[in-house]
Amino acid sequence: MTKDGGKKDNKAAQYGVTPQSVDFNDWYNEVVKKADLADNSPVAGAMVVRPYGSALWENVVRWLDDRFKATGHESLIFPTLIPMNFIMKEADHVEGFAPELFTVNKIGTEELSEPYVMRPTSETIIGHMWSGWLNSYRDLPFLHYQWGSVFRAELRTKAFLRTSEFYWHEGHTAHADENEARAEVRTILDLYHEFCRDVLALPVVRGEKTASERFAGAVSTYSIEGMMRDGKALQSGTSHYLGQNFSKAFDVKFQTREQKEEFAHTTSWAISSRIIGAIIMTHGDDAGLIMPPRIAPIQVVVIPVGRKDNFDEMVAEGEKLAAELRAQGLRVKVDRRDGVTNGFKYNDWELKGVPVRIELGPRDLEQGVVVVKNRHGDEKETLPRAEAVAGMTARLDAAHDWLLGRATEFMLENTVTVDTYEEFKAAIEAGKWVRAFHCGDPESERAIKEDTKATARNVPLDDAEFFAEAEEGVCVHTGRPAAYGKRVIFGRQY
Amino acid sequence: MTKDGGKKDNKAAQYGVTPQSVDFNDWYNEVVKKADLADNSPVAGAMVVRPYGSALWENVVRWLDDRFKATGHESLIFPTLIPMNFIMKEADHVEGFAPELFTVNKIGTEELSEPYVMRPTSETIIGHMWSGWLNSYRDLPFLHYQWGSVFRAELRTKAFLRTSEFYWHEGHTAHADENEARAEVRTILDLYHEFCRDVLALPVVRGEKTASERFAGAVSTYSIEGMMRDGKALQSGTSHYLGQNFSKAFDVKFQTREQKEEFAHTTSWAISSRIIGAIIMTHGDDAGLIMPPRIAPIQVVVIPVGRKDNFDEMVAEGEKLAAELRAQGLRVKVDRRDGVTNGFKYNDWELKGVPVRIELGPRDLEQGVVVVKNRHGDEKETLPRAEAVAGMTARLDAAHDWLLGRATEFMLENTVTVDTYEEFKAAIEAGKWVRAFHCGDPESERAIKEDTKATARNVPLDDAEFFAEAEEGVCVHTGRPAAYGKRVIFGRQY
């Protein structure tokens, strides 16, 4: 439970969580469990997502799905299983995924001579199907995606961040030429960036991965990287240009306008349930979660404050207030629980990170006011009821801006520009991100990782909001001329 | 392809399908493939759902999901895998599912001493988790559901109807007493019935399954049954009262208001991707699919009819018309394809079952009219453009009513009331449903099935719209007194 040194603070003992500064990992695990986001499961490496976590994930899915459709993408549904030999067809791909595969070797009573694997990702089977669907350049582009589970063995489970089964969309597109495919890769990266910034209040750095951090089978991998409150990086979404690697492995070819035969240029991209880990670890504080308002399953919680003799009446008044807020399209819950204290309720909804709480008592009702408290602030405000209702959307927008601003400031404050390897190691050890020149040699990256546990997160794009300055210099590790024409971001990662 | 005896009808050869009367099975498979609903996959028994099929399924999901939430249910996400020994804990359950299980016995390079199965259904693992979440009667009811895939070995695959991996929601609820659990079972059955009738235009019979047709582990199983156009029944949804069978197997108990310990009463219920098979086989005709308008991925298709010199202009006019229709909340597509004939387009959208087609040519434009054709009728109507737009929702409603009416009539016409076993066999052989008295003996049901391939579909509920009359009589097969107080529906089934 709490590690508050045995203080007689009942609230902390019952509802509290370990402070972030004491143990960030304990804080995370306790918040996930106590806020009812997820639970451990009897399946090694897999979690159970509870209703509050599922509602959050559904909001993620809905926003992204709407945008995929609005940008011309079509959903489809591929099997969960993939013939084992498919995975073997693309050399880098098999090397990347073989150690993590779940193997199905029996169906009913029949032992399979050709086993299946539970998909770790679906490039292979989608390539196989595309080869049957694609004839002419007129059929292109294919702009496909699917929502579902994927399976990759994990030894040390951590809810949302590292689970053997996780949830995602995987986008897969095929194009007639490289330019169009690369434009798609960028369109999606920008869509992810917009989602993080404008919906989740997460500042992220758009950049390209170095060669050694690429997706298994990709020509170029782009990512968005966010900084958690312990200073570690979390890769929050990826978008890959796969060149013709998979189309050649799976014979995805077409007749061009000029009647020639050509292999398609393909892409793939994903955001997974890890993004929930990013939300938790970017915004949360010692009282628990702080939900970004635009994705929050519950945006406003109304707490009727009554005594036994008038509790039902106050609940009815709370429902009226909730109805007014819902009429503005807001997601509102009235806490109708009887038999628990108001203090319990306040703590519970703070732990769950609901952005705004409204308390409504009999005296407030008489005076036509309500008491409003933002999750991210300390002050309670007493406001005329009509004003509180009319101002709620603006209040939630302001909460969004506040969260985004705080996270941005935190990321900038905890990113250090260094020019010597000593500074590099010291900054990483202090839990910072480092901006440094690097020669681009994978061997050097490996040595740095062994030394410091830090990896190259990405090379910011020219038009990334952060850390994009063009610069020339020498490698912080090898002293050789720097690659990329700018500094690389290094950090420890989830 | 088509079986039209080599006639030089290019349309039929290219776009046509085998008539239902020639071979209903071929008709089905060809429609599924040519209308781009689904394709075969390289995974034994599994299909690939293509974008048009996926869009249809998404509409099914959205309607049901909204209703589950509106009736107080919460989604969550359980692992796809279940420890093999969980399946073994409920005696009937293991007997029912063991022959169909997909077994995972290797993760990464590790051979598992305790294998997992890919879920055939999730009662067991959900029961296990509930036992950890449930303490007091105050925690109940649990009203849970999840969307996902399930896995049951199938030898003879048929898209949507019989696939080793299929898609569904599975509802799971736990209650403090039997009455409340049984009320839930009924609430869901009625919700399914409403969905079929009011959204999919499918008439279905609500009833209780006989003992031998119950879900493996249930105390009572209820179903909705629809009649396909070949006279076979399709079980389109089920709702089970599980009593305390699973709660005892998984220790799902709670402290009652009276401080006693009691096992919960649980339910489970599902509609799966089979429902798409029901839509296809209830409404389709020799030209292809007919989509029920309220679920159709595309409700109205606009076909700009132009020549080379004015095609782009007509497409622009088509988009204007589409925008007016979309402003009413309708799902509209403009067929912008160049280089294919109008005849091809008409056939293509008929095959795909789009409820209404609008043709827009230059002369129509001049005269302020459009040509409108319902998918389910033969006549083209020329209407003032404004009238066609303003009347579209009513037109779609009328198409819904027409489809529901036709299907209801078909079901009633092809259901025969019999009192002798000779009549019974003749009617089943003729592809009908039979209403007959039955003694309730599972042995007799087994003998009837062996004789006729027909099974007891269900015993209609007292307030079912169809076949609900209370009656007494003697068993059509054994001559013993009839059970149930009414006739049972028998038929061959999918």
Side-chain angles (χ1 to χ4, degrees):
Chain A
M1 302 293 276
T2 58
K3 299 189 174 175
D4 55 5
K7 262 204 323 179
K8 286 274 179 226
D9 181 340
N10 283 330
K11 269 190 239 169
Q14 246 185 298
Y15 324 117
V17 289
T18 301
Q20 293 186 343
S21 57
V22 173
D23 190 321
F24 195 75
N25 189 52
D26 283 355
W27 171 85
Y28 181 87
N29 291 330
E30 291 169 21
V31 163
V32 164
K33 248 187 142 157
K34 292 190 173 184
D36 290 337
L37 290 177
D39 203 351
N40 301 328
S41 89
V43 177
M47 63 180 163
V48 172
V49 182
R50 298 189 69 172
Y52 194 53
S54 177
L56 177 59
W57 178 240
E58 284 176 349
N59 287 349
V60 169
V61 171
R62 196 165 307 134
W63 193 95
L64 288 170
D65 195 77
D66 284 349
R67 289 300 302 269
F68 295 151
K69 287 187 167 60
T71 48
H73 298 84
E74 297 180 307
S75 73
L76 28 57
I77 315 175
F78 284 87
T80 300
L81 296 179
I82 296 179
M84 175 77 87
N85 64 53
F86 278 32
I87 305 285
M88 304 301 165
K89 284 197 187 177
E90 211 286 335
D92 290 338
H93 198 65
V94 59
E95 195 187 326
F97 285 109
E100 306 179 354
L101 297 173
F102 285 63
T103 307
V104 175
N105 72 339
K106 193 174 167 190
I107 298 181
T109 54
E110 192 201 354
E111 303 279 345
L112 303 175
S113 54
E114 296 280 340
Y116 293 104
V117 300
M118 296 175 78
R119 61 178 169 227
T121 180
S122 303
E123 279 77 3
T124 57
I125 193 168
I126 291 178
H128 173 86
M129 294 307 298
W130 277 350
S131 78
W133 296 340
L134 180 57
N135 293 301
S136 146
Y137 71 94
R138 287 176 188 272
D139 300 325
L140 293 173
F142 288 152
L143 302 175
H144 293 159
Y145 69 97
Q146 73 174 348
W147 290 98
S149 294
V150 277
F151 304 84
R152 301 176 188 176
E154 285 287 356
L155 294 176
R156 295 163 308 138
T157 308
K158 193 164 180 179
F160 298 111
L161 292 174
R162 245 190 346 261
T163 49
S164 289
E165 175 173 7
F166 60 90
Y167 312 103
W168 75 350
H169 63 262
E170 47 182 323
H172 296 275
T173 71
H175 306 263
D177 62 48
E178 173 167 354
N179 282 346
E180 192 186 296
R182 285 195 176 274
E184 166 78 10
V185 168
R186 185 59 202 265
T187 296
I188 295 296
L189 191 75
D190 291 350
L191 192 161
Y192 288 170
H193 167 248
E194 181 195 343
F195 175 58
C196 285
R197 185 190 57 195
D198 297 347
V199 182
L200 308 184
L202 301 177
V204 290
V205 180
R206 278 171 296 172
E208 182 170 358
K209 288 286 191 187
T210 60
S212 50
E213 296 286 330
R214 266 181 215 138
F215 174 72
V219 173
S220 315
T221 286
Y222 299 84
S223 73
I224 49 174
E225 305 278 337
M227 182 186 281
M228 306 301 101
R229 288 195 75 74
D230 61 353
K232 282 196 195 170
L234 193 144
Q235 175 182 297
S236 304
T238 50
S239 185
H240 315 289
Y241 171 58
L242 304 174
Q244 296 174 311
N245 291 346
F246 285 89
S247 63
K248 284 181 177 166
F250 290 91
D251 205 31
V252 183
K253 61 190 176 197
F254 63 98
Q255 204 168 49
T256 66
R257 206 181 287 265
E258 297 78 23
Q259 311 286 320
K260 287 185 195 155
E261 206 160 67
E262 176 73 277
F263 288 100
H265 293 254
T266 70
T267 86
S268 68
W269 29 274
I271 280 182
S272 79
S273 38
R274 298 195 104 197
I275 199 74
I276 290 181
I279 294 170
I280 298 169
M281 292 193 295
T282 302
H283 298 312
D285 66 15
D286 287 349
L289 297 173
I290 301 184
M291 287 282 181
R294 292 175 191 155
I295 208 79
I298 302 168
Q299 296 173 304
V300 182
V301 62
V302 176
I303 306 196
V305 179
R307 287 176 312 271
K308 268 196 181 144
D309 59 339
N310 61 6
F311 186 70
D312 288 347
E313 185 198 336
M314 292 316 301
V315 166
E317 290 295 331
E319 290 289 357
K320 276 190 218 162
L321 181 61
E324 291 171 37
L325 292 163
R326 286 186 191 121
Q328 298 176 51
L330 298 174
R331 299 183 287 275
V332 185
K333 179 163 181 91
V334 178
D335 189 339
R336 308 171 65 106
R337 285 178 290 182
D338 203 350
V340 292
T341 66
N342 294 322
F344 175 95
K345 292 180 182 180
Y346 300 161
N347 278 294
D348 191 33
W349 295 115
E350 286 190 1
L351 181 63
K352 291 194 166 78
V354 174
V356 177
R357 165 175 107 215
I358 302 182
E359 302 162 21
L360 182 63
R363 219 173 310 165
D364 304 323
L365 192 66
E366 266 171 38
Q367 296 171 6
V369 299
V370 293
V371 176
V372 181
K373 182 176 175 302
N374 294 334
R375 170 62 180 85
H376 69 269
D378 289 325
E379 274 174 43
K380 287 188 181 192
E381 298 168 66
T382 300
L383 293 176
R385 174 190 170 119
E387 190 180 310
V389 169
M392 190 53 70
T393 300
R395 176 180 294 270
L396 292 169
D397 285 341
H400 173 94
D401 293 344
W402 189 92
L403 287 172
L404 181 62
R406 184 183 64 155
T408 303
E409 207 173 292
F410 184 83
M411 183 177 75
L412 293 174
E413 272 174 7
N414 287 284
T415 302
V416 181
T417 302
V418 304
D419 287 312
T420 72
Y421 196 49
E422 287 313 304
E423 291 173 307
F424 184 107
K425 286 193 285 189
I428 293 292
E429 198 51 48
K432 313 271 182 193
W433 281 5
V434 162
R435 297 178 62 227
F437 292 112
H438 191 260
C439 59
D441 180 354
E443 270 313 314
S444 162
E445 280 184 53
R446 211 163 308 162
I448 291 173
K449 186 175 178 184
E450 217 173 288
D451 255 13
T452 65
K453 295 187 196 145
T455 51
R457 303 318 308 143
N458 67 25
V459 184
L461 292 174
D462 290 343
D463 57 351
E465 299 73 347
F466 309 111
F467 316 133
E469 298 82 353
E471 266 185 280
E472 296 294 340
V474 296
C475 176
V476 73
H477 186 241
T478 64
R480 287 182 273 173
Y484 315 117
K486 65 181 69 161
R487 290 173 187 270
V488 180
I489 297 173
F490 284 85
R492 290 180 182 161
Q493 65 163 318
Y494 279 95
Chain B
M1 303 290 277
T2 59
K3 297 189 175 174
D4 56 3
K7 260 204 323 176
K8 284 277 180 226
D9 179 339
N10 283 330
K11 269 191 239 167
Q14 246 186 298
Y15 323 119
V17 289
T18 301
Q20 293 186 340
S21 58
V22 172
D23 189 323
F24 194 75
N25 190 53
D26 283 355
W27 171 85
Y28 181 87
N29 291 330
E30 291 169 20
V31 163
V32 164
K33 247 186 143 157
K34 292 190 172 185
D36 291 337
L37 289 177
D39 203 350
N40 302 326
S41 89
V43 177
M47 63 179 163
V48 173
V49 182
R50 298 188 69 174
Y52 194 54
S54 178
L56 177 60
W57 179 240
E58 284 177 348
N59 287 348
V60 169
V61 171
R62 196 164 308 135
W63 193 95
L64 288 170
D65 195 77
D66 286 348
R67 289 301 301 269
F68 295 151
K69 289 188 165 61
T71 49
H73 298 85
E74 298 180 308
S75 74
L76 29 56
I77 315 176
F78 284 87
T80 301
L81 295 179
I82 296 179
M84 175 76 88
N85 64 51
F86 279 31
I87 305 284
M88 304 300 167
K89 283 197 186 176
E90 210 286 336
D92 290 337
H93 198 64
V94 58
E95 195 187 327
F97 285 110
E100 306 178 353
L101 297 173
F102 285 63
T103 308
V104 175
N105 72 339
K106 194 174 167 189
I107 297 181
T109 54
E110 191 200 352
E111 304 278 345
L112 305 174
S113 54
E114 296 280 340
Y116 293 105
V117 299
M118 297 175 76
R119 62 177 169 228
T121 181
S122 302
E123 278 78 3
T124 57
I125 193 167
I126 291 178
H128 173 87
M129 295 305 299
W130 277 350
S131 79
W133 297 340
L134 180 57
N135 293 302
S136 144
Y137 72 94
R138 286 176 188 273
D139 300 325
L140 293 174
F142 288 152
L143 302 175
H144 293 159
Y145 68 96
Q146 72 175 349
W147 290 97
S149 294
V150 277
F151 303 84
R152 301 175 188 176
E154 285 286 356
L155 294 176
R156 294 162 308 139
T157 308
K158 194 165 179 179
F160 298 111
L161 292 174
R162 248 193 341 263
T163 50
S164 288
E165 175 172 7
F166 60 90
Y167 313 103
W168 75 350
H169 63 261
E170 47 183 322
H172 296 273
T173 71
H175 307 265
D177 63 49
E178 173 168 354
N179 282 346
E180 193 186 295
R182 285 193 176 275
E184 166 77 10
V185 168
R186 185 57 202 267
T187 296
I188 295 296
L189 190 75
D190 290 350
L191 192 161
Y192 287 170
H193 168 248
E194 182 195 342
F195 175 58
C196 286
R197 185 191 57 197
D198 296 347
V199 182
L200 309 183
L202 300 177
V204 290
V205 180
R206 278 173 295 174
E208 182 171 356
K209 289 285 193 188
T210 60
S212 49
E213 296 286 329
R214 265 180 215 137
F215 174 72
V219 173
S220 315
T221 286
Y222 298 83
S223 74
I224 48 173
E225 305 277 338
M227 182 187 281
M228 306 300 103
R229 287 195 75 73
D230 61 353
K232 283 196 194 169
L234 194 145
Q235 174 181 300
S236 305
T238 49
S239 186
H240 314 289
Y241 171 59
L242 304 174
Q244 297 174 311
N245 292 344
F246 285 89
S247 63
K248 285 181 177 165
F250 289 92
D251 205 31
V252 184
K253 61 190 176 196
F254 63 97
Q255 203 167 49
T256 66
R257 203 182 291 264
E258 297 79 22
Q259 311 285 322
K260 288 186 193 152
E261 206 161 68
E262 175 74 278
F263 289 99
H265 293 254
T266 70
T267 85
S268 69
W269 29 272
I271 280 182
S272 79
S273 38
R274 300 195 102 199
I275 200 74
I276 291 181
I279 293 170
I280 298 168
M281 291 195 292
T282 302
H283 297 312
D285 65 17
D286 288 349
L289 297 172
I290 302 183
M291 287 281 182
R294 291 174 192 157
I295 209 81
I298 302 169
Q299 296 173 302
V300 182
V301 61
V302 176
I303 305 198
V305 178
R307 287 175 313 269
K308 270 193 179 148
D309 58 339
N310 62 6
F311 185 70
D312 288 348
E313 186 199 336
M314 293 316 301
V315 166
E317 290 295 332
E319 289 290 357
K320 276 191 217 163
L321 181 60
E324 291 171 38
L325 292 163
R326 285 186 192 121
Q328 297 176 51
L330 298 175
R331 299 184 288 275
V332 186
K333 179 163 181 92
V334 178
D335 188 339
R336 309 171 66 107
R337 284 177 291 184
D338 203 352
V340 292
T341 65
N342 293 322
F344 175 96
K345 292 180 181 178
Y346 299 161
N347 279 293
D348 191 33
W349 295 115
E350 286 190 0
L351 181 64
K352 290 194 167 81
V354 174
V356 177
R357 166 174 107 215
I358 300 182
E359 301 162 22
L360 183 63
R363 219 173 309 165
D364 303 323
L365 191 66
E366 267 172 36
Q367 296 170 6
V369 298
V370 292
V371 176
V372 181
K373 185 177 171 302
N374 294 333
R375 171 62 180 84
H376 70 270
D378 289 325
E379 273 173 42
K380 288 188 178 189
E381 298 168 68
T382 301
L383 292 177
R385 175 190 170 120
E387 191 181 310
V389 170
M392 191 54 70
T393 299
R395 177 180 294 271
L396 292 169
D397 284 341
H400 173 94
D401 293 344
W402 188 92
L403 287 171
L404 181 61
R406 184 183 65 155
T408 304
E409 208 173 291
F410 184 83
M411 183 178 74
L412 295 174
E413 272 173 6
N414 288 284
T415 303
V416 182
T417 302
V418 305
D419 287 311
T420 73
Y421 196 49
E422 285 314 303
E423 291 172 309
F424 184 108
K425 286 194 285 190
I428 293 293
E429 197 51 47
K432 313 274 183 190
W433 281 5
V434 162
R435 299 179 60 229
F437 291 113
H438 190 262
C439 59
D441 181 353
E443 269 313 313
S444 162
E445 280 184 51
R446 210 163 305 162
I448 290 173
K449 187 175 178 184
E450 216 172 289
D451 255 14
T452 66
K453 294 185 198 146
T455 51
R457 302 319 308 146
N458 69 24
V459 183
L461 292 174
D462 290 344
D463 57 351
E465 302 71 346
F466 308 111
F467 316 133
E469 298 83 353
E471 266 184 281
E472 296 294 340
V474 296
C475 175
V476 72
H477 186 241
T478 64
R480 286 182 273 173
Y484 315 118
K486 65 181 70 163
R487 291 172 187 269
V488 180
I489 297 174
F490 285 87
R492 289 179 181 161
Q493 63 162 317
Y494 277 96

